[in-house]
Amino acid sequence: MADAHFFNDEPFLDHEEGPDLLGHGQYAQHVISLLDRVRAQTETGVLALIGSWGSGKSSVLGKVTRRLRESENGEGWLVAELNPWLYSDLESLTLALFSEIREALPNDERWSEARQKIGGFGQAISPLGKVTALFGLDSEGLLQEVSNRISGDTSASAAKRKAEEALRKAGRPVLVVMDDLDRLTPEELLVVFKLVRLVGHLPGVYYLISFDERTLLDVLQRSELVGNSEPRAREFLEKIIQVRLDLPAFRERDADLLVERSLAAVLASHSLTLTPGEQQRLSEAYYRHLQARLRTPRAIKRFFGQADATLGQLAGNVDIVDFLLVTFLRTSEPRAYQLLWQHRAELTGTSIDLPSHRDERPEQQIGRWRTRLQEAGVAEQYLDDVIGLLGMLFAPLRQALGYGATTQAIALRRGIGSIDYFDRYMVFGIPDDDLPEHTFDTALQQLADGALGAEAGELLLRLRDDTQRITRRIQYKRAAGTPLPVAALLEAAAQQYGHLTATPQGVFGLFTADRAMDFLARDLLTDLAEPDRPAILKTMAETSDGAVLSARTLQRVARADSDGPDHTQAAPTPDWISEARSLISHEIARHLTPAASQPIHELTELEITLIWAWRHTGPEDVRTWINQRLDEQWTPLDLLAAILPSDRAPFPLIDNDTLQSLDALIGLEGLYSRLGPLLDAPTAAPDSSQDEHRQRILQALREHRARNTGQAT
């Protein structure tokens, strides 16, 4: 079924090279055999193929008509197909019937009389305008037809007798096939039955009609002839139909087989295969939640048709199992599908919970979603299945259902439950602000090879402008065990570090772009062998911004090593850390060379940041450097005013951590000594906001000094 056609509502037909997908081939042969038996016993008759919508009636009819036409011989069946949807009144439908019967007859001398008489009967019982429309008579032909009707035998009964005689003489049966009668209006349906039972009651002409019985009975009960009575509707049908053919049940085995083959066709058409893990997840979803909804050929074909139509560029860029489940929701429960976008943040775990939801128990969360789904029109018998599907897609609901799930695991498979991949499923493609997997992988390979192309350039641009998402995606690769160009990524992070434009994310916007880069650099450095770390940190520190990242990265990794569970007492500093600190310290000193001769007020924000970072790599070096500046041209209070932010609310201006940092940068004892007269002087009223900042610094230092010495402030 690799060449299956999903994008239509045509029936599945069997082919010589393939199996009977729906198991209806044998039944079609049974219908043909029954037609021969009916023909042997009566001159005309009506057979009805009955089955529910989407159960495969059209497939069986298609097999019957194809096989009858392929086996045509001198005595075999002739087939005419009539679509009653195209005709709204009895006259038009009658004329169409005889036109189709006439066209089904062989176009040779033996059949010329039958063709003529059938056409004559159709003309005799139809208004002249309908005849003109059907046969396309021009003005001359129209005049001739009027003349014939005036001068000839215009009796409909006489024309019918002549047609009957011609059909008996021809000796071959004609089967008129009419499908989907249940889709007609009550008035149109009665027109069809009148035609079949009365006007079209001709020798050698048999009818094979098809409908969903429940729907047809409902339609008949809306007609004036039957009224709102199901028994009367059934009696009416029994008068019309001589042979009832109930379509065989579409067994569970048949449905499962069709699902399996349809899935194989979709996968093959997009060059995809399922991993064992994906097979297990899809099997769980199918047997728990989908099987009961995929019970007819039409439902199966519609589902996989939608999957095939929208997979497109998503192949390889999304989790195929998640994609199929989302497609099922979209096609079977479209209003529930719309809830996904509406509650995107909640489902992906990126929302700030409302106060009413923070202490919510799992059963309350599930109950809230049941209410949402009910309001979205999900039938009661399907609620548990839809919630189950949502639980397979989104970690918060899966956890509420009592199953283990993490957002990272979902992200690793590029699932819809990850904020980094959610939009792909909703726009049926890769959004403009996203990076396709192939491009991402190609960029990483280019970085590894040192041959930067367009893909690597795009990745570096996104690393600057969409830092949080790109760093997460690199972390996903890392967690999956994908080999990464660690050194190249660290160098790229250092180059971009001072130019990040991505807006803060997370609760209260605390997860900034530079913080995301800090975490990535820390983790990447640990992936390098220890002897290789100092060299890459030095390379990162060759730019001023890179030196900041390099110093911070080294500090985080060194702290993690010293805080490990095996460190019960102070351990000697590893050689690689000492080497790296020396290299970075040297680079920072080089970057701060211009600042050594500048006034304090001309220090840039980056230079101030470098001064703070220096304390992690060379506290003795930075202390010497600062105190030399204080001895020559800087004043300690101006320095503190420059390097301490004026607004740290709700935190104290100088807390214990800040105090320790000042001790590393300057030395607290030396600082107190240099500021002695100012600290001992009474607090003065500030003259400006700048002066106020200085007065607050002094007051904070007074309090800390007093606390340490036991003096009153």
Side-chain angles (χ1 to χ4, degrees), residues 239-368:
K239 293 179 181 179
I240 302 295
I241 299 167
Q242 284 74 57
V243 181
R244 176 189 176 105
L245 296 165
D246 286 282
L247 194 67
F250 191 50
R251 300 177 300 165
E252 182 176 304
R253 172 186 174 277
D254 299 330
D256 292 347
L257 183 60
L258 183 57
V259 166
E260 181 180 332
R261 290 175 174 168
S262 299
L263 173 62
V266 171
L267 294 176
S269 66
H270 296 277
S271 301
L272 296 174
T273 56
L274 294 180
T275 66
E278 290 169 340
Q279 290 176 348
Q280 181 178 352
R281 288 176 50 234
L282 184 57
S283 178
E284 177 187 352
Y286 177 70
Y287 288 108
R288 282 189 176 185
H289 309 301
L290 303 183
Q291 188 181 41
R293 306 285 294 273
L294 298 176
R295 292 291 84 189
T296 68
R298 178 173 293 151
I300 295 170
K301 183 178 180 182
R302 181 169 178 261
F303 167 52
F304 285 103
Q306 285 295 312
D308 195 37
T310 53
L311 185 51
Q313 64 171 309
L314 290 179
N317 288 294
V318 296
D319 179 80
I320 184 62
V321 177
D322 279 21
F323 170 79
L324 290 171
L325 301 189
V326 172
T327 299
F328 177 82
L329 289 173
R330 182 168 57 83
T331 55
S332 300
E333 300 289 354
R335 290 175 60 195
Y337 167 78
Q338 293 170 3
L339 291 176
L340 304 187
W341 185 264
Q342 184 178 346
H343 300 283
R344 171 177 182 262
E346 176 185 341
L347 291 169
T348 57
T350 56
S351 65
I352 302 175
D353 288 337
L354 297 173
S356 58
H357 295 167
R358 288 172 187 164
D359 299 324
E360 194 175 51
R361 297 190 303 273
E363 59 270 21
Q364 292 175 310
Q365 183 179 4
I366 297 301
R368 181 157 46 85

Side-chain angles (χ1 to χ4, degrees), residues 636 667-680 705:
L668 282 182
E669 291 302 323
L671 181 62
Y672 289 147
S673 176
R674 291 179 184 275
L675 291 173
L678 293 176
L679 293 175
D680 295 336
R705 187 182 66 168

Side-chain angles (χ1 to χ4, degrees), residues 504-527:
Q505 297 177 357
V507 179
F508 306 119
L510 296 179
F511 192 58
T512 58
D514 58 348
R515 191 170 181 81
M517 199 76 90
D518 290 344
F519 290 150
L520 176 65
R522 176 200 63 189
D523 293 340
L524 289 176
L525 186 66
T526 61
D527 292 339

Side-chain angles (χ1 to χ4, degrees), residues 41 70 474 530 638 683 712:
Q41 297 179 26
E70 288 179 352
I474 294 173
E530 290 185 357
D638 286 342
T683 303

